[in-house]
């Protein structure tokens, strides 16, 4: 409900309190503006004479200002434009002169107060800007430090990446070399299998390099029986030693002695007997030791004997063991 023009004292709206944060110069300027407003003669619309109780809106309309801008200027919250201050002084001085009232402030004094308030405002703004600039500078320095740390970390990662690429390249070369050697050994094993198959079939015309059949010498059967007995003896000793986990070194010594003492034919016979009796672990240990310690020629001869004895899987395992023990060392 709008208040009546007569419900409040004249120009009560000009007496506005100042908040604690208002600077002294702005407070002094606003106080002078509050004194000038009651000097204005306001003629309401449709009236013939000035009113003694003008409203804040009517004064704002007279000064070509918005009501809110006039209210903030009078309470010191906003520093008005200098031209607005000059207009208010000129209008109030003219109306006061008509009424025979003397204005107790000059336009120069008002302009000086306005300049001082403006300087205070700029100082506050400058202080805020300086604080913002310092904060931005700190953030920039932190960003630069972080950027340097990231560059250093990236350089370290790049060096590690390059080292890994070199290691991968070296290992790839080693793998290709091993694959070539493995392919050669596989071709040799296939050739041995083919020659053995033709020998068993009695065909000598397939390969000009196939060895001539050697007639069995006197005592061949007796030698085979002796080999069989020796092989079984080794198998029994190895199995007895493996029964005791503390005799692992003696089992290994026995296998090494067997590798050194047995011929390819005897070794093949021992492998076949151990496989037939279910000693798969001993078979793999024997093949590993034989493939590691014997030269390639002996390994191939033993593989051939295993093929002749009907043990192609053991022959292949022997060749693989020999290939793995002769793999070139990897570069770290």
């Amino acid at each position: 409900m709008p208040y009546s023009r007569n419900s409040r004292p004249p120009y009560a709206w000009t007496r506005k309190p100042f908040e604690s944060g208002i600077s002294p110069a702005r407070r002094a300027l606003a106080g002078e503006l509050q004194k000038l407003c009651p000097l204005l003669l306001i003629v309401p619309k449709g009236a013939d004479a000035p009113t003694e109780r003008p409203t804040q809106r009517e004064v704002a309309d007279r000064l070509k200002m918005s009501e809110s801008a006039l209210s903030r200027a009078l309470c010191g919250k906003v520093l008005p434009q200098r031209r607005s201050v000059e207009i208010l002084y000129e209008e109030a001085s003219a109306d006061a002169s008509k009424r025979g009232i003397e204005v107790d402030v000059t336009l120069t004094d008002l302009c000086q107060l306005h300049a001082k308030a403006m300087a205070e405002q700029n100082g506050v703004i400058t202080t805020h800007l300086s604080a913002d600039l310092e904060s931005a500078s700190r953030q920039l320095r932190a960003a630069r430090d972080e950027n340097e740390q990231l560059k250093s970390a990236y350089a370290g990662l790049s060096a590690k990446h390059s080292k890994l690429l070199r290691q991968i390249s070296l290992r790839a070369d080693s793998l290709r070399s091993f694959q070539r050697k493995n392919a050669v050994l596989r071709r040799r094993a296939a050739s041995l299998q083919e020659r053995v198959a033709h020998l068993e079939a009695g065909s000598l015309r397939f390969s000009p390099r196939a060895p001539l059949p050697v007639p069995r010498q006197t005592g061949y059967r007796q030698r085979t029986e002796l080999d069989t007995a020796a092989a079984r003896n080794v198998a029994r000793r190895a199995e007895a030693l493996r029964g005791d986990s503390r005799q692992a070194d003696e089992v290994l010594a026995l296998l090494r002695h067997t590798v050194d003492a047995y011929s390819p034919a005897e070794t093949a016979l021992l492998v076949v007997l151990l496989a037939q009796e279910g000693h798969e672990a001993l078979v793999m240990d024997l093949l590993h030791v034989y493939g590691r310690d014997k030269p390639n020629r002996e390994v191939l001869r033993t593989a051939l004997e295993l093929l002749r004895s009907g043990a192609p899987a053991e022959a292949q395992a022997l060749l693989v063991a020999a290939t793995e023990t002769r793999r070139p060392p990897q570069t770290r």
Side-chain angles (χ1 to χ4, degrees):
M1 176 177 178
Y3 67 85
S4 172
R5 185 182 293 271
N6 297 322
S7 62
R8 300 180 62 189
Y11 296 96
W13 50 268
T14 62
R15 296 187 286 276
K16 298 183 182 295
F18 298 116
E19 296 181 358
S20 58
I22 306 302
S23 65
R26 189 182 295 182
R27 187 188 298 265
L29 176 63
E32 294 298 333
L33 298 180
Q34 291 181 10
K35 295 177 182 178
L36 289 174
C37 287
L39 299 178
L40 294 171
L41 295 175
I42 304 299
V43 180
K45 292 182 179 180
D48 296 331
T51 178
E52 295 180 355
R53 298 174 181 271
T55 64
Q56 184 174 257
R57 178 181 296 277
E58 291 172 339
V59 172
D61 292 341
R62 168 79 178 274
L63 299 175
K64 303 295 189 293
M65 300 173 61
S66 67
E67 184 179 359
S68 61
L70 176 60
S71 176
R72 290 195 297 270
L74 293 177
C75 66
K77 290 184 177 180
V78 174
L79 181 63
Q81 296 293 328
R82 177 169 175 171
R83 182 54 187 161
S84 298
V85 174
E86 292 174 348
I87 291 174
L88 174 57
Y89 180 83
E90 292 170 357
E91 296 290 331
S93 296
D95 290 352
S97 178
K98 293 178 183 179
R99 298 161 62 184
I101 300 175
E102 183 178 356
V103 180
D104 59 356
V105 65
T106 66
L107 180 59
T108 301
D109 295 336
L110 283 180
C111 291
Q112 288 178 352
L113 286 175
H114 186 274
K116 189 175 181 180
M118 180 65 72
E120 287 180 347
Q121 177 174 286
N122 292 338
V124 172
I125 294 175
T126 302
T127 301
H128 288 310
L129 289 176
S130 299
D132 293 341
L133 180 60
E134 180 62 25
S135 177
S137 299
R138 289 195 298 268
Q139 293 177 359
L140 179 60
R141 288 193 295 269
R144 287 177 176 173
D145 294 340
E146 184 178 3
N147 185 49
E148 292 299 326
Q149 293 176 0
L150 290 175
K151 284 183 178 180
S152 178
Y154 176 76
L157 291 176
S158 297
K160 291 181 180 179
H161 182 257
S162 300
K163 183 178 180 180
L164 288 175
L165 289 179
R166 289 193 297 270
Q167 291 178 353
I168 291 173
S169 178
L170 292 174
R171 292 183 180 181
D173 293 340
S174 299
L175 178 59
R176 286 191 292 269
S177 177
F178 167 73
Q179 289 174 341
R180 288 193 295 270
K181 292 181 179 180
N182 187 46
V184 171
L185 289 176
R186 288 183 181 275
R187 288 195 296 270
R188 290 179 181 176
S191 177
L192 286 174
Q193 290 177 350
E194 189 175 1
R195 290 168 65 184
V196 168
H198 284 283
L199 286 174
E200 291 178 349
S203 174
L204 300 177
R205 295 175 296 174
F206 180 76
S207 174
R209 296 179 294 174
L212 296 174
V214 180
R216 294 185 177 183
Q217 300 178 358
T218 304
Y220 181 82
R221 182 182 301 276
Q222 181 181 5
R223 176 61 180 167
T224 302
E225 292 175 355
L226 291 175
D227 291 344
T228 302
R232 287 177 176 169
N233 182 38
V234 172
R236 285 194 298 271
R237 289 178 60 193
E239 182 62 23
L241 290 173
R242 286 180 69 90
D244 187 353
S245 59
R246 296 173 298 179
Q247 305 296 329
D249 293 339
E250 296 187 17
V251 174
L252 183 59
L254 175 61
L255 293 179
R256 288 177 177 172
H257 174 75
T258 302
V259 167
D260 293 336
Y262 274 35
S263 66
E266 292 170 339
T267 302
L269 180 58
L270 175 60
V271 170
V272 171
L273 287 175
L274 290 174
Q276 289 177 351
E277 295 181 7
H279 304 305
E280 298 295 336
L282 286 174
V283 169
M284 298 307 298
D285 291 342
L286 179 58
L287 293 177
H288 178 76
V289 173
Y290 197 93
R292 182 192 63 192
D293 296 344
K294 285 294 185 178
N296 292 340
R297 184 179 182 84
E298 294 296 322
V299 171
L300 293 176
R301 289 179 59 191
T302 303
L304 179 60
E305 292 294 337
L306 287 171
L307 291 173
R308 288 175 176 173
S309 301
E314 286 73 10
Q316 182 179 0
L318 175 60
L319 293 175
V320 170
T323 301
E324 291 180 350
T325 56
R326 288 161 175 76
R327 182 183 301 176
Q330 296 182 353
T331 304
R332 294 183 180 272

